[in-house]
Amino acid sequence: MIHNIRKSRIIQVKMVRPASRIDMASDDDIEFSVAEDRRYTKEHLWLQVIDREEDEDGNVQTSVKVGVSEYVAAVWGEFIRVTLPNLQELEGFDDPSDKPSEKKSSFEGELSAEDILVTLRTSDDVVLVDSPFPCGILELNGEVEDSPDMVNTEAYGDGWLMIVRPHDYDEDHFLSPEEYIEFLAEGL
């Protein structure tokens, strides 16, 4: 779920390759790309499976890289601050100063569905984006906090937010690039 967002209108949408752009034909042109090798949420996150492995019990573990669609920056403007979850405040955080336990989690922290995944700040708005699923955080991309412009200019490249391991991941629950474009065209 996204909180505190402004509505925008899309006039024309067409499918493009990641390197090309969608150009909205209106007085307030909106230009953004949609990467074809990902899935999307209705909250404008992209999800890219980067690893699938089977554990000793035969369960498939999926690692997913998560980022923000270029659409978000195109509509809300340039992000001047990106805030990722504070791992020390999350359940499941392994503090090295704690006594060693018998079983250590491989996660840096845990997010529940609808916990705040990322906070994006523009000069006018604050955009809070919820986690689309419960997951363990494997890695945070701290570079986007230091250089928020990466989310604006390299959303599908170095501007990714984090790598997570969802507790239950089914790609069919998320939008294909074509479905995401239809969602944008219908809903706004």
Side-chain angles (χ1 to χ4, degrees):
M1 173 185 289
I2 292 185
H3 309 276
N4 197 22
I5 59 175
R6 293 181 287 163
K7 296 271 183 185
S8 183
R9 190 171 147 226
I10 296 178
I11 304 297
Q12 177 184 351
V13 180
K14 61 182 179 179
M15 185 63 194
V16 295
R17 299 266 178 233
S20 59
R21 300 278 185 199
I22 296 173
D23 187 11
M24 305 304 177
S26 74
D27 292 341
D28 298 324
D29 285 348
I30 300 174
E31 189 177 299
F32 61 93
S33 66
V34 174
E36 292 183 317
D37 62 344
R38 292 149 211 230
R39 299 300 247 175
Y40 293 86
T41 70
K42 292 181 179 180
E43 293 77 30
H44 310 292
L45 294 173
W46 57 259
L47 310 169
Q48 182 181 36
V49 173
I50 57 171
D51 187 35
R52 279 197 176 110
E53 58 187 49
E54 195 171 312
D55 66 14
E56 64 239 12
D57 297 328
N59 300 317
V60 175
Q61 302 293 315
T62 305
S63 297
V64 178
K65 189 179 280 189
V66 180
V68 178
S69 163
E70 280 187 9
Y71 173 79
V72 176
V75 170
W76 286 284
E78 185 174 319
F79 297 117
I80 58 174
R81 184 166 184 179
V82 174
T83 306
L84 298 172
N86 181 344
L87 293 177
Q88 292 158 340
E89 293 178 3
L90 294 177
E91 183 179 318
F93 173 71
D94 290 329
D95 187 343
S97 66
D98 289 345
K99 293 180 184 175
S101 63
E102 290 180 24
K103 187 175 182 183
K104 281 247 179 195
S105 168
S106 61
F107 301 135
E108 296 291 328
E110 295 274 339
L111 287 174
S112 299
E114 299 182 14
D115 278 352
I116 301 294
L117 182 89
V118 64
T119 302
L120 305 164
R121 183 178 299 273
T122 68
S123 58
D124 298 325
D125 293 313
V126 175
V127 181
L128 305 173
V129 184
D130 292 341
S131 178
F133 39 60
C135 59
I137 297 173
L138 297 172
E139 182 179 348
L140 292 176
N141 183 5
E143 291 183 37
V144 296
E145 288 185 310
D146 297 335
S147 302
D149 193 50
M150 293 172 74
V151 175
N152 301 312
T153 61
E154 300 179 52
Y156 301 121
D158 291 336
W160 57 276
L161 303 173
M162 63 186 68
I163 298 173
V164 300
R165 179 157 294 151
H167 298 303
D168 184 27
Y169 183 77
D170 183 354
E171 284 187 349
D172 293 336
H173 290 135
F174 303 102
L175 304 172
S176 69
E178 295 83 6
E179 292 167 333
Y180 182 61
I181 290 172
E182 284 178 30
F183 167 72
L184 294 174
E186 291 172 3
L188 301 174

